[in-house]
Amino acid sequence: MIPQRHYEKPLRETPFHPRTAPLNRLQNWGAWAGYMTPSCYGDSAMEHTGIRNTATLYDISPMIKYRIRGPEAADYLNRLTLRDAARLPVGAVHYTAWTDDAGQVMDDGTLFRLGADDFRLCCQERHLPWLLDSAWGFDVTIGDETDRIAGLALQGPVSATVLAAAGFDVSALKPFRLATFPLSAGEVTISRTGFTGDLGYELWTTPEDALVLWDHLMAHGAPLGLVPTGTDAVMLARTEAGFLTTNLDFIPAQQALREDRTRSPLELGLGWMIAWDKGPFTGRRALMAEREGKTSRWALVGLDIPGNVSAEGSILYHGKRREAGFVTAACWSPTLKRNIAIAHVAAKYADCRDLWVEIYALRELQYHKLMLPVTKTERPFFAPDRRRATPPGRF
Amino acid sequence: MTYDAVILGAGHNGLVTACYLARAGMKVLVVEKNDWIGGAAVSRELTPGFTYSNCSYVASLFRPEIMRDLELPRHGLQILPYEGGAVLQEGGGYLGMFRDHDANRREFARHSPRDAEAYDIYSRDVLRHCRFIRPLLLRTPPDPARFRPRDMGELLWIGKQVSALSEAQIAGMVRFWTMSISDYLDHYFENPVIKAYLAVSAIIGTALGPMSPGSAYVLLHHYMGDVDGNIGAWGFARGGMGAITRALASSLRSSGGEIRTGAAVEKVLVKGGRTTGVVLEGGDEIRAKRVISNMDVKRTMLRHVDEADLPGDYIASVRKFKTRGSSGKLNIALDGVPKFPALPEGSTALKGDLHFTDSIEKMERAYDDWKAGHFSRDPFQDVMIPTMIDPTMTPPGKHFMSCFVQYAPPKIEGRDWTDADRDAFGQTCLDQIERYAPGFKNLVLHVEVRTPRELEAEVGLTEGNIFQGELTFDQLLFNRPVPGYANYRTPVRDLWICGSSTHPGGGVMGAPGRNAAAEILRDAKLSVRDMSDAWAVL
């Protein structure tokens, strides 16, 4: 039930708020889907170091979560999303995306198979009408459980050691697999998933057990270097990993005001996830036509840029003159010591030859214009072996 | 078989040179006398379960341009910024350091409200000097006494940089390069503890006291590095400083380079004024088109090259090159975190550097002992516990403590160090820490004590000088190591020097190795795809 006077507090508190608030020594909060979560607890550089060096806790409760149940849940998801949901084993997770009928991406997210007929879809945007409309003819029930699931991302090379210390043996858990453990009177589901490109897990429980989980992890993890981290550090880590963020790296089709803003999965570098042979799915006809006609308008690329000035928001030029694309995410990566960017380039410039980036470097209130040559580079930018190792390393 | 290049010594600079040369397509071999690689950027396990940073212990100077070019992060290198630090005062007080600007200002204000605000002005001024000097790090210094086109071009370039400065700034710069850190700090600060904290960077690794002219430049040398663009900040290499040379070795091997350990060089072969390779101890001969020494200039020239193959004035200059050692090191395995009663519970100070020298006068007195040929009775120590941040070096709950100690002379009253001297030196340092952390000694599981004697014998640093030659102004730029040979060349054709004896000098910076590679490649008419110029500062 939504209280009548909800408008007096437009940003709600997550189930972890009683713990995150006192730790947020800068009182630096950000809005995330109607909730407040820390952007930075005190020092983003140290929080990012935590992600790459020890272990970090990040409150992901505001993530939108839909529960999809029913004997035809797998068929339904196969119609809805790009990957083959029927081939997702129980106890596994996959990264997927879905499009409208024109084959334009509406969102990406992670699909959890909790049981044979039981799935959870986690994503950035809200899709209830689309999910319900798409369910016509399928024996499924769909519900928003965003508020009923508290989520914590535990990320970093020491994260498995922290879980072991807390009594959760995840040594056999492979990437994109999940396991359930008792917690207090209830339980916690731990999936080996994350948004940092490093070793990491996501922990899911009820709002009632949220604080028990936080306290339990902190008690066992703090001596091992476990620290809370805010969104700023996580976003830096995700850029290093080369992950996309909806509404930052692409505009979801259902929100695009300008028709040319939408992107197909092929244009976002997500072509690999399309299960072309699984049978009909939404957007299939349009995507087949795009693939066969080679009509993709854009290509999403990873770029390496000389120097150390981040290219955030920059425009790309061919031969320094003709506009060829734009940067959606960029950073000088502290982990890689490289200046990296995720960019959209017009399809004909997809090889990135003779491509230049115009960067405005702010130096004591004055912008200096830089025109630098870019090199196409593989994405993920940062992909250490430790993220995949099973059993995971101690650090 | 003939190598294109054989590099003598697998220290960080030798490996940096080797990496760039291998990437340019040269057939490269690195020979190392020890059974392990790393030189003074080394991590060894001397007691089970504990990894030390045996020599150098913090990172800041190592150029990120080099890490990028050689893809060192992909080869496992991670630099961890650290936070905190404190000067513990006699009598129980302390001055803490914080990354947060306002927290740091208030901490300084606890000691002096005036100095707290003066710190911003001081930082601005030092940063101005950094902005001038940083672009010089990745360039071969021009020789003003020669009129070769490249020297002229480089001199013009420097002239252009200087002409952009105001008269006041030029005057300030020359003063800064030549004055003592004590005098320099007196221009800004009044509080003795704040001055003692800031003076530290001016004496580290240097046979100067804080009141010696020229010490201010040494501060600049330590300040001009950065961690992720944070100028003057320092960090740890994850896994210890050996992680840097391990990543370099991995990068080198991935581009086809070879490393041979347990291979000490006996002699550089010279024929008709040109080197043809080296002979190893034991008689193995390695043919190479060029030989590049990562050893300091004295060790290279006075021990491994025939005097007959070198001009007399060059040998004389090499002999006079100052390499006086000034420091020692304790590496300690601890059973737990020592308790410093002066620090509040949960203080971040233990995640940074701890000092016990709370006035410049005390620091100078420690130097007085060195001048008299003793190690300091009340030494300056830079104490760190890297494992407060790095989870990889010890088992959980155990810790590695690194203590950098000044002053320790190359000889005790003119004679060689004995084991008894070394033990007394170690005891002096442990006693000092115990005074500020009662019960500390009970936590000690193992100690490695290193005096200039051990540094010379094991790492090969002449007189135990950690910079392969002092960083005084008379030994910088075109005077480093010898006038006329600042371009990484030597009087022997195809024999090069790439270590910290060359510009821009010591510290785990990699710049000498990178610049030497640039000169060697230019000489060989080769190029490498990735060799970044110095990145912009702020």
Side-chain angles (χ1 to χ4, degrees):
Chain A
M1 275 292 284
I2 296 173
Q4 221 171 20
R5 295 166 77 93
H6 63 85
Y7 54 85
E8 288 175 349
K9 211 166 182 184
L11 290 183
R12 294 182 61 184
E13 295 173 358
T14 78
F16 297 105
H17 193 84
R19 294 296 178 272
T20 57
L23 290 167
N24 190 349
R25 44 187 206 281
L26 294 179
Q27 290 301 308
N28 185 349
W29 299 93
W32 178 5
Y35 287 89
M36 59 199 291
T37 54
S39 301
C40 166
Y41 283 88
D43 188 332
S44 283
M46 298 311 290
E47 289 160 31
H48 176 262
T49 300
I51 293 172
R52 297 289 180 228
N53 176 45
T54 50
T56 52
L57 278 186
Y58 178 56
D59 183 359
I60 54 171
S61 303
M63 190 185 287
I64 308 297
K65 305 169 220 67
Y66 295 107
R67 192 67 170 261
I68 298 147
R69 286 190 179 104
E72 292 182 326
D75 294 340
Y76 162 74
L77 286 161
N78 246 349
R79 170 66 76 85
L80 180 82
T81 65
L82 296 172
R83 291 183 80 173
D84 192 341
R87 292 186 56 186
L88 180 65
V90 174
V93 187
H94 69 202
Y95 169 56
T96 189
W98 55 101
T99 72
D100 61 11
D101 292 291
Q104 302 300 294
V105 176
M106 300 180 68
D107 209 346
D108 63 350
T110 42
L111 182 66
F112 291 66
R113 190 162 197 172
L114 306 173
D117 303 328
D118 188 5
F119 292 83
R120 179 184 295 145
L121 184 61
C122 296
C123 54
Q124 182 72 17
E125 302 299 324
R126 298 179 183 280
H127 300 279
L128 203 52
W130 181 257
L131 296 184
L132 292 172
D133 291 355
S134 300
W136 287 341
F138 289 99
D139 186 2
V140 290
T141 59
I142 295 158
D144 180 341
E145 61 177 15
T146 304
D147 297 348
R148 292 201 296 279
I149 305 290
L152 267 186
L154 169 64
Q155 303 280 306
V158 179
S159 52
T161 306
V162 169
L163 287 175
F168 306 125
D169 180 8
V170 292
S171 55
L173 198 64
K174 290 181 178 160
F176 293 104
R177 289 291 187 276
L178 55 87
T180 299
F181 299 87
L183 172 77
S184 176
E187 57 182 33
V188 56
T189 296
I190 301 179
S191 55
R192 187 161 169 189
T193 49
F195 203 48
T196 61
D198 221 307
L199 176 66
Y201 302 84
E202 288 169 325
L203 291 77
W204 314 90
T205 190
T206 59
E208 295 71 35
D209 284 334
L211 298 181
V212 175
L213 177 63
W214 179 285
D215 293 341
H216 185 66
L217 290 171
M218 271 298 173
H220 292 91
L224 297 164
L226 180 64
V227 289
T229 185
T231 305
D232 295 349
V234 171
M235 289 309 280
L236 178 56
R238 78 94 191 181
T239 303
E240 293 180 329
F243 292 152
L244 304 183
T245 303
T246 310
N247 256 321
L248 289 179
D249 294 294
F250 64 92
I251 299 293
Q254 74 279 14
Q255 294 175 16
L257 206 55
R258 295 164 181 79
E259 285 189 298
D260 68 349
R261 290 298 188 268
T262 68
R263 293 289 183 270
S264 80
L266 299 166
E267 291 168 337
L268 290 178
L270 299 177
W272 61 269
M273 68 164 58
I274 303 173
W276 297 98
D277 303 325
K278 71 177 178 177
F281 60 91
T282 306
R284 182 167 184 260
R285 195 174 305 161
L287 292 171
M288 296 270 278
E290 182 184 338
R291 183 177 64 161
E292 271 147 37
K294 297 190 168 56
T295 55
S296 296
R297 302 154 298 164
W298 295 92
L300 188 120
V301 293
L303 298 178
D304 183 291
I305 299 165
N308 58 352
V309 183
S310 169
E312 236 174 327
S314 294
I315 294 176
L316 296 162
Y317 296 87
H318 184 256
K320 296 194 192 181
R321 275 203 304 276
R322 196 184 309 272
E323 267 192 43
F326 55 94
V327 169
T328 59
C331 68
W332 184 82
S333 160
T335 309
L336 295 162
K337 314 294 174 200
R338 281 166 73 201
N339 203 14
I340 53 175
I342 298 172
H344 294 233
V345 293
K348 64 175 166 176
Y349 303 119
D351 61 9
C352 297
R353 263 191 290 190
D354 198 16
L355 216 55
W356 299 73
V357 62
E358 182 185 50
I359 299 177
Y360 284 76
L362 184 58
R363 288 172 181 154
E364 294 188 290
L365 298 187
Q366 193 179 336
Y367 281 108
H368 291 233
K369 194 169 102 173
L370 310 172
M371 185 67 89
L372 301 168
V374 305
T375 312
K376 192 173 173 174
T377 186
E378 60 197 67
R379 200 169 50 94
F381 305 104
F382 178 67
D385 292 339
R386 67 188 179 215
R387 82 194 194 284
R388 290 254 169 91
T390 308
R394 184 163 73 81
F395 43 75
Chain B
M1 191 183 68
T2 303
Y3 286 94
D4 291 318
V6 60
I7 285 117
L8 314 181
H12 57 279
N13 280 310
L15 290 169
V16 165
T17 302
C19 282
Y20 279 111
L21 299 186
R23 278 166 183 256
M26 283 192 182
K27 180 127 193 66
V28 174
L29 171 70
V30 180
V31 293
E32 164 58 48
K33 80 178 169 75
N34 288 323
D35 292 330
W36 58 89
I37 63 156
V42 65
S43 296
R44 300 178 62 209
E45 185 176 310
L46 299 181
T47 185
F50 289 80
T51 304
Y52 292 163
S53 283
N54 301 72
C55 298
S56 59
Y57 54 102
V58 277
S60 163
L61 301 176
F62 197 69
R63 307 311 316 138
E65 293 92 333
I66 298 171
M67 290 190 237
R68 176 201 180 275
D69 291 347
L70 304 180
E71 303 176 274
L72 301 186
R74 195 161 73 74
H75 291 281
L77 179 60
Q78 262 187 268
I79 303 291
L80 311 172
Y82 62 69
E83 53 185 330
V87 181
L88 301 185
Q89 294 168 269
E90 213 168 289
Y94 77 100
L95 167 74
M97 261 61 69
F98 298 91
R99 277 169 55 92
D100 182 274
H101 180 262
D102 290 306
N104 203 60
R105 178 175 51 77
R106 289 194 190 96
E107 179 67 10
F108 275 40
R110 286 204 305 124
H111 296 263
S112 162
R114 187 196 168 281
D115 285 3
E117 296 188 23
Y119 183 60
D120 287 345
I121 300 163
Y122 164 84
S123 299
R124 193 272 316 253
D125 289 354
V126 176
L127 273 174
R128 280 189 170 179
H129 298 308
C130 283
R131 277 178 47 75
F132 179 81
I133 204 131
R134 281 256 297 216
L136 301 177
L137 298 180
L138 297 184
R139 303 175 85 101
T140 300
D143 190 337
R146 307 219 171 174
F147 297 97
R148 291 172 300 206
R150 267 189 67 215
D151 288 316
M152 298 299 287
E154 282 294 297
L155 279 170
L156 272 171
W157 182 84
I158 293 176
K160 212 176 126 205
Q161 311 302 309
V162 174
S163 68
L165 306 175
S166 70
E167 205 181 313
Q169 179 66 11
I170 294 171
M173 204 160 69
V174 172
R175 273 205 309 274
F176 185 54
W177 287 359
T178 50
M179 73 199 301
S180 78
I181 191 60
S182 176
D183 287 345
Y184 187 71
L185 292 173
D186 283 343
H187 283 253
Y188 297 89
F189 303 106
E190 58 186 18
N191 182 274
V193 189
I194 288 173
K195 284 194 272 189
Y197 163 62
L198 294 172
V200 163
S201 297
I203 60 158
I204 295 240
T206 306
L208 297 176
M211 295 178 181
S212 315
S215 51
Y217 172 78
V218 181
L219 174 122
L220 183 60
H221 189 86
H222 283 109
Y223 204 96
M224 66 195 172
D226 63 295
V227 176
D228 303 334
N230 217 333
I231 309 276
W234 287 76
F236 298 120
R238 192 173 194 255
M241 291 299 279
I244 293 177
T245 42
R246 270 201 307 278
L248 282 164
S250 168
S251 173
L252 174 62
R253 291 192 183 104
S254 77
S255 37
E258 296 169 48
I259 299 171
R260 214 200 283 181
T261 54
V265 168
E266 172 75 43
K267 204 175 149 198
V268 176
L269 297 169
V270 181
K271 208 171 166 186
R274 176 183 285 266
T275 180
T276 56
V278 293
V279 182
L280 300 182
E281 282 176 14
D284 272 9
E285 197 175 313
I286 297 170
R287 317 291 300 178
K289 290 184 189 155
R290 48 189 75 72
V291 173
I292 302 140
S293 176
N294 185 189
M295 294 180 281
D296 68 53
V297 66
K298 277 185 166 167
R299 199 174 175 94
T300 307
M301 294 301 167
L302 305 180
R303 288 199 189 195
H304 300 293
V305 180
D306 260 350
E307 208 173 316
D309 292 319
L310 294 168
D313 57 344
Y314 180 81
I315 296 180
S317 298
V318 170
R319 285 214 175 93
K320 284 181 209 144
F321 188 64
K322 288 182 297 177
T323 54
R324 299 169 303 174
S326 61
S327 60
K329 180 109 194 286
L330 267 65
N331 297 309
I332 306 170
L334 291 176
D335 202 17
V337 185
K339 288 207 168 37
F340 293 86
L343 298 173
E345 185 75 26
S347 164
T348 53
L350 290 179
K351 293 184 176 175
D353 44 354
L354 296 174
H355 309 150
F356 314 114
T357 307
D358 58 4
S359 75
I360 284 190
E361 289 69 25
K362 264 191 204 170
M363 220 174 255
E364 186 70 15
R365 277 202 292 277
Y367 179 53
D368 290 340
D369 289 336
W370 179 91
K371 281 183 279 185
H374 294 287
F375 59 80
S376 307
R377 280 159 295 183
D378 185 16
F380 161 77
Q381 292 201 68
D382 189 24
V383 172
M384 322 258 338
I385 310 176
T387 45
M388 294 297 290
I389 290 175
D390 186 340
T392 70
M393 300 175 79
T394 59
K398 313 282 181 198
H399 289 278
F400 156 56
M401 183 188 256
S402 159
C403 309
F404 175 87
V405 192
Q406 267 185 214
Y407 292 81
K411 286 185 185 290
I412 297 285
E413 292 174 340
R415 62 166 171 81
D416 288 336
W417 282 76
T418 62
D419 288 352
D421 296 326
R422 179 197 59 202
D423 295 345
F425 169 72
Q427 204 53 49
T428 302
C429 301
L430 295 174
D431 288 346
Q432 188 187 53
I433 300 171
E434 177 79 21
R435 283 211 300 281
Y436 293 88
F440 155 76
K441 283 187 190 172
N442 297 331
L443 297 171
V444 174
L445 301 172
H446 174 266
V447 190
E448 178 192 23
V449 183
R450 318 190 67 160
T451 71
R453 177 181 71 157
E454 283 76 24
L455 288 175
E456 171 151 8
E458 183 192 298
V459 190
L461 296 166
T462 301
E463 294 187 87
N465 185 287
I466 65 169
F467 293 143
Q468 286 201 347
E470 291 173 50
L471 291 177
T472 48
F473 205 63
D474 57 307
Q475 300 200 143
L476 294 178
L477 297 165
F478 56 89
N479 279 320
R480 191 169 185 91
V482 170
Y485 295 97
N487 54 5
Y488 309 93
R489 289 166 175 84
T490 69
V492 176
R493 174 83 183 130
D494 295 327
L495 174 61
W496 303 75
I497 297 192
C498 70
S500 296
S501 284
T502 58
H503 171 79
V508 183
M509 186 164 6
R514 178 255 183 220
N515 294 351
E519 287 292 330
I520 293 163
L521 290 175
R522 180 190 290 268
D523 186 73
K525 298 190 169 54
L526 287 173
S527 67
V528 59
R529 193 176 69 100
D530 283 309
M531 188 181 271
S532 299
D533 289 328
W535 288 342
V537 185
L538 302 175

